[in-house]
Amino acid sequence: MSTSTSSTTPLLSLRGINKSFGAVHVLKGVDLDVWPGKVTALVGDNGAGKSTLIKGIAGIYSFDSGSYSFEGQQVEVTNPKQANALGIEVVYQDLALCDNLDVVQNLYLGREATSGVILDETTMERKATETLKGLSVRTLKSVRMKVSSLSGGQRQTVAIARAVLWNSKLVILDEPTAALGVAQTEQVLQLVRRLADAGLAVILISHNMNDVIRVADNVAALYLGQMAAQVPSESLSHGQIVELITAGRSGDLGLKAPDKEVVA
């Protein structure tokens, strides 16, 4: 866990978020706070609403109702460009990397630096190297390596580096350790922790409770479209997180138990 200090004011604050697709009510009055310098683990079973919530934060979907505040100001985010302008970057599970391009070209894909009408390869390579060095990435021999030659952990590292290259303030990571081996998972988790220690706000989506307990400062558990609880991870056990995910409550923590019907 991080020992660094961070702001007591959330960078991102959602209140009463609702989202429906036709007759299906996917998000139901969701509240969420994300702080700079902290890793917030967003957990929930398949169909709990995690992807919809993240895509709403990223501007891919528009929320139907509720308030969206960033850096203490209520904002309207209805497309990805608006989210990017705020400093929000998402690393999706498929990483969206181009195997035929090298690391530098992937980091700058669609946002290339130019000098007049010519690509400024020198500046891009220098900034790419600085970004990776700043993240303490030592597993890449060269920023000119083709992505096709990289391991799964190295690919994840490149995708995360691309997210932080653009002065981002909030980085959302969707299952960053899925399908990685033990050593590669360790490298990625260390990188996630370094992002928060550098002052960024991080949302980590994961089904791996060991990863969650290892790096998260707080846990936000979604259950059938509702936020069951958001609490500091140090106060939760592995079993309690699982209960919040599968039942929406654990003891006195979580959603209120439904009233029992009285049989006359």
Side-chain angles (χ1 to χ4, degrees):
M1 296 284 250
S2 171
T3 57
S4 63
T5 57
S6 60
S7 172
T8 57
T9 303
L11 177 75
L12 170 71
S13 185
L14 305 179
R15 290 292 179 271
I17 294 297
N18 290 283
K19 179 64 179 177
S20 296
F21 296 98
V24 181
H25 197 176
V26 181
L27 299 177
K28 308 167 186 176
V30 170
D31 295 345
L32 175 69
D33 289 316
V34 181
W35 290 269
K38 292 188 179 295
V39 178
T40 298
L42 180 62
V43 299
D45 211 346
N46 292 332
K50 302 187 302 297
S51 293
T52 300
L53 182 61
I54 291 309
K55 288 178 180 179
I57 294 171
I60 295 172
Y61 296 148
S62 294
F63 294 131
D64 296 336
S65 61
S67 67
Y68 184 136
S69 297
F70 199 82
E71 294 186 304
Q73 301 294 320
Q74 190 159 332
V75 295
E76 289 279 342
V77 177
T78 57
N79 62 66
K81 282 190 175 182
Q82 291 174 328
N84 293 154
L86 291 173
I88 299 172
E89 297 284 342
V90 185
V91 180
Y92 293 104
Q93 198 167 347
D94 64 5
L95 302 183
L97 298 176
C98 295
D99 283 354
N100 61 319
L101 301 180
D102 64 28
V103 172
V104 175
Q105 291 166 326
N106 269 280
L107 291 181
Y108 278 88
L109 192 62
R111 302 179 182 181
E112 290 82 1
T114 58
S115 178
V117 296
I118 302 172
L119 290 179
D120 190 346
E121 296 284 357
T122 302
T123 296
M124 289 191 290
E125 185 170 328
R126 176 176 55 79
K127 289 186 176 180
T129 301
E130 289 173 355
T131 299
L132 291 166
K133 184 178 179 181
L135 294 172
S136 299
V137 174
R138 301 183 181 88
T139 58
L140 292 175
K141 294 180 181 178
S142 169
V143 292
R144 287 302 180 182
M145 294 175 66
K146 289 285 182 69
V147 164
S148 59
S149 68
L150 303 182
S151 68
Q154 290 172 325
R155 286 168 179 256
Q156 187 65 247
T157 296
V158 171
I160 294 173
R162 182 174 60 189
V164 304
L165 183 63
W166 308 103
N167 297 317
S168 53
K169 299 173 183 176
L170 168 60
V171 177
I172 302 171
L173 305 173
D174 184 8
E175 298 283 359
T177 60
L180 295 184
V182 175
Q184 294 176 348
T185 293
E186 177 65 20
Q187 292 170 4
V188 171
L189 291 179
Q190 288 179 5
L191 179 53
V192 171
R193 190 65 257 172
R194 285 197 293 269
L195 295 179
D197 291 345
L200 277 70
V202 180
I203 296 178
L204 171 68
I205 301 174
S206 181
H207 282 95
N208 189 316
M209 294 305 102
N210 291 327
D211 290 357
V212 168
I213 292 171
R214 167 79 189 281
V215 300
D217 295 288
N218 64 91
V219 177
L222 278 173
Y223 176 74
L224 298 178
Q226 295 178 277
M227 186 60 74
Q230 181 174 5
V231 291
S233 58
E234 61 191 18
S235 65
L236 289 174
S237 67
H238 184 288
Q240 286 176 305
I241 299 175
V242 172
E243 287 178 348
L244 287 171
I245 291 171
T246 58
R249 63 195 318 272
S250 177
D252 295 332
L253 181 64
L255 300 172
K256 182 181 177 182
D259 295 330
K260 295 182 178 179
E261 293 185 9
V262 177
V263 180

